[in-house]
Amino acid sequence: HLGSNLVEWNDPTLIWPSSPDNLAGPPSADGSSIELPPNTHVIIKMGSLSPSGVYGTITIPPTSALIFDDTGDESSAITLQTLGIDVDGALLAGSQTCRITGGIEITLHGEIDNGAVGFSERHLADAAGSNMALKGIVVNDVPGARWDFHGKLYHPTWTRLAAPVPGSLASTLNIPNARDSMLFLQDCVNWPQGGKIVVTTSHAKDTRGYNFNEEAIIAAGADAVQCVSVNGETFGLVHLASPLQHYHHAGEREYQCEVGLLSRNILIQGNEKSPPTDVYPLECEYSGNGWDMVPCENTFLTGFGGHTIIIGQAEGRLRGIEFFRMGMTNILGRYPVHFHRSITGQVGEVSDCSVHESYFRAFTVHDTFDLKVSRNTAFDISGHAYYLESGVEERNTLEYNLAAFVHVIDGALVMPSATTSNSMQSDSILVPADHSASGFYISNVHNYVVGNAASGGWAGIQFPVLPEPADKLLRYNGVVPKDRTSLLITGNSVHSSGWFGANQGAVYAGGALFWDESDVESLTLKYNGGRVGQIRKTRNTKDDEGNIAWFQVNNTTVWLVQVGATGWGKRSEYKGFEVHDFAQKAIFVLFATWMDNVVINCRTSNAELVPDPSSASNEKTLNDGRQWSGFQTYDHLMKHILTNWKISNCGGVARGLQPWVLNGREDTGDVGLFTVPVNGFAPEVQLISSGTQYNWDTLGGTDFVNESIFFAASGSDQFYSMQYMSNWEDADGSMTNRNVGTVMGPARAGRWWQLDDRPGKCEVRSGWKFPQRLCDKDDRKLASMFHIVMPQKTTGSDGAQGSAVLGLIDPAANPRRTRQGSLTHFGLTGNGAVDACTPPEPCDETVSRSWDPDVTGPFNHAQYGGWYFSFDDGTPVHLNIQRVQIPDDAVMIQAMSVPPGTTQGDVRIYATSRGRQYDFTVADGGLAEVRASTTGDTYWLDTANDILYWRVIAGYVENDGTYGWINRAAQNVESFSRGGLTVWDTTGQNLFQLNIIINCVVDDVTGHFCQSRPAFQVPEMGCPEGEVMIAIDNCGQPCELDGSCVSSSNPTSSPTASPTASPTTSPTASPTASPTHSCHSCTDEPTPWMNDNGYDCSTQWLIVSKCNKVNFWKRNKYCQYSCFVDDFGYEGDNCCV
């Protein structure tokens, strides 16, 4: 606007090509189309335009520019009303180095009002679908076309409260009512007098029918916006023209509501005929599934606001612009701000802008790369707000933006469970994913998503699963959006979100948008908002070379949510995740996941101020302490590593329960701080943790770890495997507060999880809702594998993972609720009765097994011990072992009884890999040889007792026919290790199977068990004479079982025969400075577990907690030198330093 050779819009000598008679003078504001003269830069100044008329579509040819002047006063605006602007040249206001300070107001109309049209312009929807310029600003795919608008910089565009707004709770909180119109902000701001702001809700539910967001006007006067100092800290202070009505939270060290500026000095808006007319009712009754009121279908579908679009080669730099009453509901490509197939993203930008009351999205990035979307505010948005449209968009930066009050389209997807049915594209919803409209819709994570805040929305940030681009023109371009790596996702926050799902997180990595593979013409887009089991619709992150990679989310804070975060992808890392005031689960992420530096603050000072919207089961969960769980895992196929968690305010007082709270609710719920499911498939070894910290003052003291609400189980208690074989490894004892490496398993499994019988080695936390047996892990290991009585099923709801034989016995039987046999550690007497224990009954020495093939438990059979399998229907003719999860080089011994008279010739054991077979050989040296076999390829039949022994390894038959431990890297079964902890991977069905064949007369019922049933006989421990079983893997002196052993270092009971000689009467010629004792050389060998998990003797927490405190360490003098120099030396040691 300061350039030379500018021609004013109302220059009487300027001839406009669009003039019907080629006459000079300004164009009329009568709806007629207008084209700027070629090679002309036209400037619009204050007073240049008609104050009341509506100009037709304004076309700017390639060599021309339309420029808005700077009035220098934001209260004095240049006002343009038009049917649209079609840009092939340049549309300009200010520049990147010279931002406009005066006012500009552009109102977009759909048509000239001749009085014949009703309240809405929605009848133009079909025309708008084909005519892009209708009610829009279109910057066309033309070389040199550009849109540069640079409004005044208001900084920051949004911030957070520094002190609460009392609203209706002023008297309750003893806060003066004056604070309802005085906002203390965390940042000083330069917001305009009379500007419009929004303060976000501090309630859990956020919908049009349950709205506690508040818009307000900044007061007039020079002191309306100030920067003040309080106790040496600087804050912003904004005075409002009228007080707020609701409470808005700002808690110290908790969370604070956002405050966003909606006004800008440049305004682009739809006309008064833009809003939808189908706006009632705001919510509808919803029967069932635990919700009472939800957004209605077939409402808010007629919005017809303005839109803008920047296409292809065109450039767009939009800064400091307010977009109001924009977007055309369900009309493709008609959004408030839209970069469409832009190839100029690296020079493009949309920053410091606001979008409010939008009828279809806020900021849309479509087939565009390297674009900067920064410091914007979006409020009251229909459909996904910040929207990466098709899934091909990459390397874009979405930073420091605010999304608030985001609305679903055509009703909300309600998800009481993890799964749901498909939604279809229809006349009432263009993109079915808008049933779950979220603040940020990141369809491809290969972008930078940094420092954003989301308030409200079905989810706050959604990372949907797109198997292919959701764009008909791009569908077959080879990009797999769901599998792309995340560039950087960090520093984001979400609140008041995720209301309509019991398992769907406010940060949600789920929901598949797709065409059916049979729909080759891409006719009907479909959406499934839940967990979809198909590989095609599961996130499987890979790098550019196709190697396995990890979906990563860092430094995220959420509050006032049903579930903090949920993810269904194969591999994830959540590092730095903080959650407050959750209603159902703090974090619920499946499969291989590292959850590091997680902060769970179950209840804040705001929680008691947030009412439940209704008494429906899923709408009262925030205040019902019987229903929320800090961490909940899944039944199987998980690999969870939890490191450095911090937990506070989760005790009975926070939950409002008896007996912690007088007259509190009775705790009838089935969840706790930590909750495991017990009604699913059998678990593998899938949970390991370390570095857990508790804020004991907020939990009622250290006894919290013994309270009932500490650990719980959810689901039916009639499933064998989860009831008896769920497990948790507390690697450093911090989670259980035992401060020693601990293995935890169900107490009702009896001695299956009793690793050691010596005093102080194990304990039972009987007060927990799901009582657990906790034992020192020492150098023991955990393993899991399938044991299938062949033949294996080929179909079924359980994924064909079990035996087909049960169907021959009882076709209606549930394999997980039907006993197959039992399992006993060597050395115990056991119980061969078929009704020894039925869940939830407690077991004793023998634990029952179901027909669910997965078996999980503790072991270390290098010298002693083993697992003894018994089958109620007799010895299997063909027992198959597969899907083996076991640490490398570990010794696992298994055994079962065989029919009397079975000979070596009746037994065949062989391994298979990808169809290749390898036969095991008989161990002439008996069980000891089986234990010692490094490749685990021998077996032994004890014909005297009719017991068959074999060893299980994670094996593999190579192409050359050799057999041994699998090469994990070569076969892509590498272990999952993070934070010094490891969850071992499982060998797939095709990689390894161990087959045990018994030649016998078969039974008449199934043909798959031997007719002659063997006796139940658990193998002995094989302890040396004078020793007894003291642990599942060890023998020792009987006195070790009661702690009565006398240390050999005790002094003798009688004095020596004669005293030593008297000291010499004269000193030595050269005395030493002080008496010394001779030192000796010390080793510094770590334990096998330390070697397996990447620790060495410099690991301080192990030295402090283990050295001279744990018998296993003392016996073997592990880390002898390091223990000595750190003053934890073993008895008798004097290491040479």
Side-chain angles (χ1 to χ4, degrees):
H1 63 275
L2 299 179
S4 57
N5 300 318
L6 304 182
V7 180
E8 292 191 26
W9 174 279
N10 56 358
D11 185 333
T13 65
L14 183 63
I15 298 176
W16 296 74
S18 52
S19 173
D21 299 317
N22 203 31
L23 298 177
S28 301
D30 59 0
S32 300
S33 296
I34 299 170
E35 181 178 349
L36 266 66
N39 304 310
T40 304
H41 288 195
V42 176
I43 185 170
I44 299 176
K45 295 186 175 183
M46 193 70 180
S48 295
L49 302 174
S50 168
S52 59
V54 177
Y55 293 94
T57 301
I58 301 170
T59 299
I60 305 172
T63 57
S64 298
L66 181 61
I67 303 169
F68 285 82
D69 194 16
D70 186 356
T71 66
D73 180 2
E74 59 192 275
S75 64
S76 177
I78 298 172
T79 302
L80 167 66
Q81 300 194 62
T82 177
L83 297 182
I85 303 176
D86 196 17
V87 183
D88 289 340
L91 178 62
L92 309 175
S95 70
Q96 289 178 281
T97 58
C98 179
R99 298 180 73 138
I100 289 284
T101 59
I104 297 172
E105 183 177 303
I106 300 174
T107 302
L108 298 168
H109 296 254
E111 61 186 359
I112 299 297
D113 185 4
N114 57 15
V117 180
F119 180 76
S120 173
E121 292 180 335
R122 184 69 190 189
H123 62 279
L124 299 172
D126 288 342
S130 57
N131 178 9
M132 199 178 303
L134 194 156
K135 206 171 183 177
I137 297 176
V138 181
V139 189
N140 292 300
D141 182 12
V142 175
R146 65 188 178 104
W147 180 11
D148 269 284
F149 267 26
H150 302 271
K152 182 175 180 178
L153 176 60
Y154 297 110
H155 183 77
T157 53
W158 63 273
T159 181
R160 290 187 169 94
L161 290 172
V165 176
S168 59
L169 300 179
S171 60
T172 302
L173 300 174
N174 196 27
I175 300 176
N177 287 111
R179 291 275 295 278
D180 291 333
S181 55
M182 298 170 56
L183 302 185
F184 285 91
L185 307 179
Q186 293 184 15
D187 300 285
C188 292
V189 297
N190 66 336
W191 295 351
Q193 302 172 33
K196 179 178 282 190
I197 66 167
V198 61
V199 185
T200 62
T201 181
S202 55
H203 286 246
K205 182 180 179 180
D206 185 41
T207 63
R208 290 187 177 103
Y210 197 82
N211 177 18
F212 291 87
N213 302 280
E214 293 191 80
E215 296 179 67
I217 302 298
I218 299 174
D223 60 350
V225 178
Q226 303 176 37
C227 196
V228 299
S229 178
V230 179
N231 296 327
E233 295 186 58
T234 302
F235 301 95
L237 174 60
V238 173
H239 293 267
L240 304 180
S242 57
L244 299 178
Q245 302 300 308
H246 303 303
Y247 176 76
H248 298 273
H249 189 65
E252 185 177 355
R253 298 182 181 178
E254 294 178 346
Y255 53 81
Q256 306 84 31
C257 292
E258 297 88 0
V259 184
L261 177 67
L262 301 178
S263 298
R264 302 291 189 274
N265 65 316
I266 299 178
L267 170 64
I268 298 174
Q269 62 181 350
N271 64 355
E272 293 181 353
K273 296 185 178 182
S274 300
T277 56
D278 53 342
V279 296
Y280 297 103
L282 294 179
E283 286 194 306
C284 293
E285 293 184 2
Y286 185 83
S287 59
N289 293 328
W291 282 269
D292 186 28
M293 301 294 290
V294 301
C296 302
E297 299 177 3
N298 297 309
T299 57
F300 290 90
L301 301 180
T302 56
F304 194 76
H307 80 98
T308 72
I309 184 170
I310 299 164
I311 309 172
Q313 302 171 77
E315 296 180 7
R317 286 168 288 270
L318 312 179
R319 301 193 299 167
I321 306 171
E322 176 185 354
F323 297 89
F324 174 57
R325 292 196 301 239
M326 301 286 281
M328 302 176 181
T329 309
N330 282 331
I331 300 179
L332 184 64
R334 304 302 181 257
Y335 316 124
V337 179
H338 182 194
F339 282 77
H340 178 74
R341 306 192 195 283
S342 173
I343 62 173
T344 62
Q346 69 276 9
V347 297
E349 177 181 0
V350 52
S351 63
D352 315 316
C353 296
S354 77
V355 176
H356 59 114
E357 195 180 319
S358 168
Y359 315 122
F360 204 27
R361 318 210 185 288
F363 301 92
T364 298
V365 181
H366 178 210
D367 193 14
T368 294
F369 306 82
D370 304 299
L371 181 68
K372 180 181 179 181
V373 181
S374 179
R375 301 187 304 277
N376 301 290
T377 299
F379 173 73
D380 191 9
I381 310 297
S382 289
H384 295 290
Y386 294 82
Y387 183 63
L388 302 186
E389 185 165 359
S390 69
V392 300
E393 300 80 18
E394 294 190 348
R395 302 186 307 276
N396 300 287
T397 298
L398 280 73
E399 61 179 8
Y400 312 117
N401 302 288
L402 171 64
F405 203 37
V406 177
H407 314 296
V408 300
I409 292 177
D410 194 32
L413 171 63
V414 178
M415 277 180 48
S417 68
T419 58
T420 186
S421 57
N422 291 339
S423 302
M424 307 290 185
Q425 189 175 22
S426 68
D427 291 340
S428 59
I429 189 161
L430 176 69
V431 180
D434 281 315
H435 286 305
S436 62
S438 304
F440 295 84
Y441 178 88
I442 312 299
S443 58
N444 183 325
V445 299
H446 202 70
N447 289 281
Y448 302 92
V449 184
V450 178
N452 302 288
S455 171
W458 187 88
I461 304 176
Q462 184 177 4
F463 304 101
V465 175
L466 275 63
E468 54 201 5
D471 181 325
K472 295 179 180 182
L473 300 178
L474 301 173
R475 179 181 177 184
Y476 299 109
N477 71 354
V479 175
V480 183
K482 71 181 183 68
D483 293 346
R484 298 293 286 142
T485 54
S486 44
L487 287 181
L488 182 62
I489 303 170
T490 188
N492 302 291
S493 66
V494 176
H495 71 94
S496 308
S497 184
W499 179 254
F500 295 105
N503 292 295
Q504 153 250 323
V507 177
Y508 187 55
L513 184 67
F514 59 95
W515 284 287
D516 284 335
E517 290 179 283
S518 59
D519 184 7
V520 294
E521 295 184 4
S522 309
L523 299 177
T524 305
L525 198 60
K526 296 183 178 181
Y527 177 70
N528 189 299
R531 176 190 172 195
V532 184
Q534 299 164 309
I535 294 297
R536 178 173 178 256
K537 300 166 191 171
T538 300
R539 190 181 307 279
N540 186 14
T541 308
K542 299 175 182 176
D543 63 20
D544 292 339
E545 285 72 44
N547 301 313
I548 285 175
W550 297 79
F551 170 66
Q552 297 175 323
V553 177
N554 302 319
N555 303 319
T556 307
T557 302
V558 302
W559 65 89
L560 288 172
V561 296
Q562 293 276 23
V563 182
T566 301
W568 314 122
K570 285 192 170 185
R571 295 172 299 278
S572 307
E573 292 181 353
Y574 287 75
K575 294 186 291 185
F577 189 85
E578 182 175 335
V579 57
H580 308 259
D581 291 342
F582 55 91
Q584 305 234 14
K585 304 175 185 72
I587 187 166
F588 185 58
V589 182
L590 271 58
F591 305 112
T593 306
W594 181 27
M595 290 170 269
D596 180 46
N597 282 306
V598 173
V599 175
I600 297 179
N601 185 32
C602 294
R603 287 297 175 265
T604 69
S605 60
N606 182 48
E608 62 183 1
L609 306 178
V610 181
D612 292 322
S614 83
S615 60
S617 60
N618 283 310
E619 296 203 355
K620 66 176 183 178
T621 48
L622 182 68
N623 289 302
D624 190 340
R626 300 166 294 187
Q627 298 190 46
W628 45 269
S629 177
F631 170 75
Q632 188 162 341
T633 184
Y634 211 58
D635 54 352
H636 75 143
L637 302 179
M638 304 299 106
K639 294 183 179 69
H640 287 344
I641 295 177
L642 284 56
T643 53
N644 305 311
W645 285 39
K646 297 180 180 179
I647 296 170
S648 59
N649 291 298
C650 298
V653 173
R655 293 169 181 262
L657 300 176
Q658 299 180 26
W660 301 276
V661 175
L662 183 65
N663 299 321
R665 292 179 295 276
E666 184 180 354
D667 186 8
T668 56
D670 61 354
V671 300
L673 174 62
F674 300 101
T675 305
V676 296
V678 292
N679 61 340
F681 294 107
E684 299 85 26
V685 182
Q686 57 186 36
L687 273 168
I688 185 169
S689 64
S690 70
T692 308
Q693 299 179 46
Y694 299 97
N695 186 325
W696 300 117
D697 290 341
T698 68
L699 297 168
T702 57
D703 196 52
F704 174 68
V705 298
N706 298 309
E707 301 285 5
S708 62
I709 53 178
F710 185 83
F711 197 87
S714 65
S716 170
D717 58 7
Q718 298 177 357
F719 292 81
Y720 282 78
S721 298
M722 290 296 289
Q723 286 289 320
Y724 295 144
M725 294 185 182
S726 62
N727 58 90
W728 189 308
E729 181 180 345
D730 181 13
D732 60 354
S734 59
M735 177 262 192
T736 56
N737 200 34
R738 297 183 77 239
N739 299 317
V740 63
T742 297
V743 171
M744 190 165 71
R748 62 188 55 163
R751 291 183 59 85
W752 184 244
W753 294 102
Q754 179 74 20
L755 276 61
D756 201 312
D757 290 327
R758 288 170 289 184
K761 302 296 282 186
C762 293
E763 63 175 298
V764 173
R765 300 275 173 93
S766 57
W768 291 353
K769 292 184 181 181
F770 188 28
Q772 298 286 296
R773 189 178 303 271
L774 287 62
C775 291
D776 294 2
K777 184 173 185 282
D778 293 336
D779 62 348
R780 300 176 189 99
K781 309 177 191 306
L782 301 179
S784 174
M785 61 203 71
F786 280 14
H787 286 69
I788 302 173
V789 177
M790 299 297 278
Q792 188 169 359
K793 288 192 292 187
T794 56
T795 60
S797 59
D798 59 358
Q801 68 175 16
S803 170
V805 178
L806 178 60
L808 303 175
I809 300 172
D810 182 358
N814 183 325
R816 288 175 280 161
R817 299 176 65 167
T818 305
R819 175 179 153 120
Q820 182 191 75
S822 65
L823 193 56
T824 313
H825 288 294
F826 286 10
L828 302 176
T829 301
N831 187 345
V834 297
D835 59 352
C837 54
T838 301
E841 296 174 356
C843 302
D844 188 12
E845 292 190 345
T846 291
V847 65
S848 292
R849 293 184 296 106
S850 73
W851 282 80
D852 186 327
D854 213 342
V855 175
T856 303
F859 75 102
N860 178 15
H861 301 153
Q863 187 173 4
Y864 300 105
W867 291 0
Y868 174 71
F869 286 80
S870 176
F871 297 84
D872 294 348
D873 293 285
T875 305
V877 173
H878 183 181
L879 180 64
N880 176 276
I881 301 172
Q882 57 180 260
R883 302 193 186 185
V884 175
Q885 181 190 27
I886 190 171
D888 288 346
D889 300 322
V891 179
M892 159 68 73
I893 298 297
Q894 297 181 2
M896 70 177 176
S897 294
V898 296
T902 299
T903 66
Q904 289 185 358
D906 296 323
V907 177
R908 182 192 177 201
I909 299 182
Y910 65 95
T912 60
S913 299
R914 305 187 190 279
R916 301 183 292 272
Q917 295 188 6
Y918 177 90
D919 278 284
F920 283 26
T921 58
V922 177
D924 295 331
L927 179 56
E929 183 179 334
V930 177
R931 293 187 193 276
S933 172
T934 56
T935 55
D937 60 352
T938 62
Y939 65 93
W940 179 54
L941 176 63
D942 177 5
T943 54
N945 295 293
D946 298 314
I947 299 176
L948 177 65
Y949 298 86
W950 65 90
R951 182 177 172 186
V952 179
I953 69 170
Y956 190 73
V957 182
E958 300 286 351
N959 290 327
D960 61 4
T962 58
Y963 173 77
W965 287 87
I966 193 168
N967 183 326
R968 293 186 178 273
Q971 301 304 326
N972 198 26
V973 287
E974 293 185 87
S975 301
F976 175 36
S977 296
R978 294 292 189 277
L981 307 180
T982 295
V983 179
W984 293 87
D985 203 356
T986 303
T987 58
Q989 182 177 355
N990 293 327
L991 288 179
F992 173 63
Q993 295 185 35
L994 184 63
N995 298 275
I996 302 170
I997 309 295
I998 307 297
N999 181 25
C1000 62
V1001 177
V1002 300
D1003 71 304
D1004 296 330
V1005 176
T1006 69
H1008 298 291
F1009 290 99
C1010 295
Q1011 189 176 65
S1012 177
R1013 299 192 180 188
F1016 178 90
Q1017 184 178 355
V1018 182
E1020 295 180 354
M1021 195 68 168
C1023 295
E1025 184 177 354
E1027 294 189 3
V1028 296
M1029 177 182 179
I1030 61 172
I1032 62 169
D1033 60 344
N1034 212 343
C1035 296
Q1037 298 299 318
C1039 60
E1040 293 186 57
L1041 295 176
D1042 61 11
S1044 63
C1045 295
V1046 178
S1047 173
S1048 60
S1049 62
N1050 286 345
T1052 56
S1053 57
S1054 57
T1056 55
S1058 59
T1060 56
S1062 299
T1064 57
T1065 58
S1066 59
T1068 55
S1070 301
T1072 56
S1074 61
T1076 61
H1077 302 281
S1078 60
C1079 65
H1080 58 84
S1081 176
C1082 292
T1083 63
D1084 210 31
E1085 293 297 323
T1087 68
W1089 176 87
M1090 293 169 68
N1091 285 325
D1092 289 344
N1093 292 276
Y1095 289 110
D1096 59 28
C1097 290
S1098 65
T1099 307
Q1100 191 65 22
W1101 66 267
L1102 286 170
I1103 298 300
V1104 171
S1105 62
K1106 304 286 189 182
C1107 284
N1108 53 15
K1109 299 178 178 64
V1110 177
N1111 289 336
F1112 171 66
W1113 277 54
K1114 289 191 286 187
R1115 284 198 307 273
N1116 297 282
K1117 291 196 172 184
Y1118 288 119
C1119 297
Q1120 183 183 19
Y1121 179 82
S1122 294
C1123 291
F1124 178 79
V1125 297
D1126 284 340
D1127 293 328
F1128 298 103
Y1130 300 108
E1131 187 174 356
D1133 274 356
N1134 183 28
C1135 300
C1136 295
V1137 178

